[in-house]
Amino acid sequence: MRRIIVCLTGVLLLTFGFSLSGHAQEANNPLLYSYQAVQFSDRGIAQDPVTLVMPGTALGTGFGSYQDNPASAAFFDESFGTFGLAFRSASEENTFLGNTLNSSDNQTSISNAGFVYNFPVTRGRLLIGAGYSQHSFYNRALELSGTNNATTITDQFKIPGSTYSDIAFNTYAIDFGDEIGDWDESIFRIGFDRLGDYLGIDQEAEILQRGFAGEYSAFLATEFQRNLMVGLSLGIQAGRHTYDRVFLEVDRDNLYDGTVIDSNDDEEPDTDMDSVLLSEEIRNNYLSFQARAGMIYRVNSHLNVGASYTFPTRLTVDEIYDSRISTTFDNGEGFEDDLAGEYSYEVQSPARVNIGFAFVDIGGISASFSAGYTDFSKTRVEFGEDEFEAERDENQFISDQYKEVWDVRGGISMDLTDQFTLRAGYGYQPSRFKNMDLSKSRFSAGAGFALTENTRLEVGAQYSLWKEESVVYNYGVYDYSALPDLEEGEGHLLPVSIHPEVADRDVGRLQILATLRIRLY
């Protein structure tokens, strides 16, 4: 198990955008997928159509504005119940080995459900609320196809300590590199007169990543002193994420037609490799306790200023993973083996500070602005007592590579009539990493409609776009000249360096939200 975790932890580092080549990257095989999804999805934006456009740091916007600042609930003038749905679509243009493919993925979910109760007090304001509100989502789609004349995914399997080495060896995707079996070699680099020769292979892959997370929370807001609103929220964060990968290598032109594999166990090689298929599934869930506090001061009837503090939280993550390698040979025979298990770990997420201001109802126009500060270098992971070395290395890498970040959001709304409101907004999320650009721009718009005297429909849409370079797999570079003659059966081959095989990705992600808000009295 240690071998598995240490190796997949290394892949995790690439998942977060760490790059051996100096570019932003996102790997496609994280054991710690929840950590990646929770920390680096569209986290921090409440998934209701009003707060999505108009930050709630200094203004009561939508039901989920307590995630920006729980004091914002003090500005709600009525008691209401709310229920919302979300539709998300990711579209990507992926370039790999000179070929460009387009892929997409869609998902729907409940975005929020809850209530707010406005107590009929004689002085000031007192409101409570409870329910569920999403704050992050993650859906990606990657398709690849091309002929690779330089590397093969089996080059990853043979790296010492590789997660896949055992199941790859059991299925002949890799085999002994010399007669005494003291190092492994890709099956596509065996059987040649010169060590390491390679004729190329056709590659195809499909990778889907999906998930969302939110909070089951209760919150309270009150006018603590005249024009000073304070609030507190307590809740449980819950999320789930899935990862599915299918990666196929196939010798369509029968370039490999030797007899290097003993398919019938008679100790005589009789065939060669036709295809190698790697399929993987990762399913995980996480829980954590979340607390935040905030305040908003109403400077005058048209200007508010606010600030909030989200306390650090500890996430407990449970994952189930299954990796399977299937091979077929030129003679129609084949083998299959898998690696499956469960793993739990914890993530200490850093605190977050929001500050903002809002202009309120100036000729029917309101505007809200917010900036959020997070020191991502304070993030920590805990693997368990028997994984101290991997945990230490991971946390040191985080400290060295993550940085402090200020993200910004702003929105404006216009009340065209008492029954109809239009909104538009923009947000910018900078990269969490010191040397890599993973920044995202988000454009949003929405509208509110009074359906009846007590019922209102809110709709909103947000479009995010960015570019990235994604790790498809890693491979080792070897110095075969360092080995003696193969016939001597001596020597041990180790990689001189490890490099990523990458795909360029242009990503666009759209989400559309709709919420029904019903006044309770």
Side-chain angles (χ1 to χ4, degrees):
M1 175 57 74
R2 175 174 178 77
R3 184 182 185 188
I4 295 170
I5 293 175
V6 169
C7 181
L8 286 178
T9 298
V11 178
L12 167 70
L13 301 182
L14 291 170
T15 302
F16 295 150
F18 308 150
S19 170
L20 297 171
S21 60
H23 299 285
Q25 299 178 5
E26 180 180 343
N28 294 315
N29 180 28
L31 174 64
L32 311 184
Y33 179 64
S34 289
Y35 180 23
Q36 186 257 12
V38 171
Q39 294 294 333
F40 303 102
S41 62
D42 289 336
R43 176 165 170 73
I45 302 178
Q47 304 297 297
D48 77 68
V50 185
T51 311
L52 187 75
V53 182
M54 302 282 291
T57 306
L59 183 67
T61 53
F63 174 76
S65 63
Y66 71 88
Q67 295 187 29
D68 287 335
N69 187 344
S72 64
F75 289 90
F76 294 136
D77 294 325
E78 59 187 21
S79 299
F80 62 88
T82 181
F83 179 82
L85 297 173
F87 169 80
R88 281 91 181 227
S89 176
S91 59
E92 303 195 24
E93 184 178 270
N94 309 301
T95 302
F96 179 65
L97 301 175
N99 295 328
T100 298
L101 294 177
N102 294 308
S103 53
S104 62
D105 181 62
N106 302 324
Q107 63 176 333
T108 59
S109 65
I110 295 174
S111 59
N112 61 83
F115 74 93
V116 172
Y117 181 73
N118 187 345
F119 285 92
V121 295
T122 57
R123 295 181 59 185
R125 296 167 177 260
L126 176 62
L127 294 94
I128 63 170
Y132 172 76
S133 182
Q134 286 186 3
H135 60 61
S136 62
F137 69 97
Y138 197 85
N139 69 310
R140 302 293 304 274
L142 174 66
E143 291 186 30
L144 307 172
S145 180
T147 300
N148 195 328
N149 293 312
T151 71
T152 158
I153 197 171
T154 58
D155 288 334
Q156 179 180 17
F157 302 163
K158 73 179 184 181
I159 296 173
S162 169
T163 305
Y164 311 100
S165 61
D166 289 340
I167 60 175
F169 188 87
N170 294 339
T171 56
Y172 288 96
I174 60 175
D175 207 341
F176 290 131
D178 60 16
E179 292 181 352
I180 62 174
D182 57 358
W183 54 277
D184 294 335
E185 181 59 279
S186 162
I187 197 64
F188 296 118
R189 298 182 185 272
I190 292 176
F192 298 100
D193 293 336
R194 188 173 59 182
L195 291 176
D197 276 1
Y198 174 59
L199 301 178
I201 199 72
D202 292 329
Q203 297 178 327
E204 296 181 4
E206 181 180 78
I207 301 165
L208 295 177
Q209 304 178 53
R210 314 182 82 191
F212 54 84
E215 290 186 31
Y216 298 89
S217 300
F219 53 90
L220 177 148
T222 185
E223 190 170 8
F224 182 71
Q225 294 182 356
R226 182 176 175 82
N227 294 327
L228 177 63
M229 317 298 168
V230 298
L232 174 69
S233 72
L234 302 173
I236 299 295
Q237 291 191 72
R240 64 182 185 184
H241 303 89
T242 63
Y243 166 90
D244 295 280
R245 170 165 76 157
V246 177
F247 198 105
L248 174 67
E249 293 192 335
V250 58
D251 181 21
R252 289 193 174 92
D253 297 325
N254 197 29
L255 300 175
Y256 303 92
D257 59 354
T259 54
V260 298
I261 300 171
D262 176 16
S263 65
N264 56 13
D265 233 4
D266 64 356
E267 299 185 357
E268 292 292 333
D270 55 71
T271 187
D272 215 321
M273 186 68 68
D274 178 65
S275 67
V276 176
L277 176 66
L278 170 66
S279 57
E280 295 183 286
E281 296 181 356
I282 300 176
R283 302 288 182 269
N284 58 64
N285 297 277
Y286 83 85
L287 289 172
S288 71
F289 175 77
Q290 183 70 76
R292 60 176 61 83
M295 58 184 295
I296 299 176
Y297 181 67
R298 184 162 51 190
V299 179
N300 56 49
S301 59
H302 297 297
L303 176 63
N304 301 337
V305 294
S308 67
Y309 180 80
T310 301
F311 291 86
T313 186
R314 182 178 296 272
L315 291 79
T316 300
V317 185
D318 297 310
E319 288 195 348
I320 301 174
Y321 58 91
D322 184 355
S323 298
R324 184 180 304 270
I325 293 178
S326 304
T327 56
T328 57
F329 307 144
D330 288 343
N331 65 357
E333 299 293 328
F335 288 86
E336 182 176 280
D337 198 8
D338 68 345
L339 170 69
E342 300 181 12
Y343 185 56
S344 297
Y345 58 96
E346 292 187 344
V347 179
Q348 176 76 35
S349 295
R352 176 180 173 87
V353 175
N354 285 335
I355 58 174
F357 63 94
F359 299 107
V360 184
D361 194 16
I362 302 176
I365 297 176
S366 297
S368 178
F369 303 92
S370 177
Y373 169 83
T374 309
D375 184 357
F376 285 94
S377 68
K378 302 293 186 184
T379 304
R380 292 294 179 267
V381 296
E382 295 182 8
F383 296 152
E385 295 180 358
D386 59 341
E387 298 300 326
F388 173 77
E389 183 178 353
E391 178 183 307
R392 179 199 61 195
D393 293 344
E394 172 96 1
N395 288 325
Q396 184 60 52
F397 201 100
I398 289 171
S399 297
D400 293 341
Q401 298 297 323
Y402 289 10
K403 67 179 181 180
E404 302 171 347
V405 167
W406 282 95
D407 58 80
V408 294
R409 296 168 55 207
I412 187 169
S413 69
M414 177 180 297
D415 296 325
L416 299 182
T417 69
D418 292 340
Q419 290 78 36
F420 182 53
T421 302
L422 286 178
R423 306 180 187 93
Y426 173 77
Y428 179 73
Q429 178 181 302
S431 174
R432 274 78 164 167
F433 307 101
K434 294 179 180 179
N435 301 315
M436 303 165 199
D437 184 10
L438 288 177
S439 58
K440 298 180 181 179
S441 292
R442 302 189 183 94
F443 303 89
S444 55
F449 309 84
L451 301 180
T452 68
E453 183 180 355
N454 296 318
T455 305
R456 187 174 178 86
L457 176 65
E458 303 287 356
V459 295
Q462 182 187 76
Y463 184 74
S464 304
L465 69 162
W466 69 95
K467 296 177 181 290
E468 67 183 47
E469 192 176 71
S470 179
V471 175
V472 179
Y473 58 83
N474 296 306
Y475 62 91
V477 174
Y478 296 82
D479 181 10
Y480 289 94
S481 65
L483 286 174
D485 292 339
L486 184 63
E487 294 180 356
E488 297 181 12
E490 298 177 356
H492 191 76
L493 189 65
L494 293 174
V496 177
S497 58
I498 306 296
H499 297 271
E501 190 73 78
V502 300
D504 295 320
R505 306 172 75 170
D506 290 324
V507 186
R509 189 155 59 189
L510 172 69
Q511 64 168 329
I512 300 174
L513 308 175
T515 293
L516 192 64
R517 177 167 162 169
I518 302 173
R519 187 166 62 185
L520 299 180
Y521 69 86

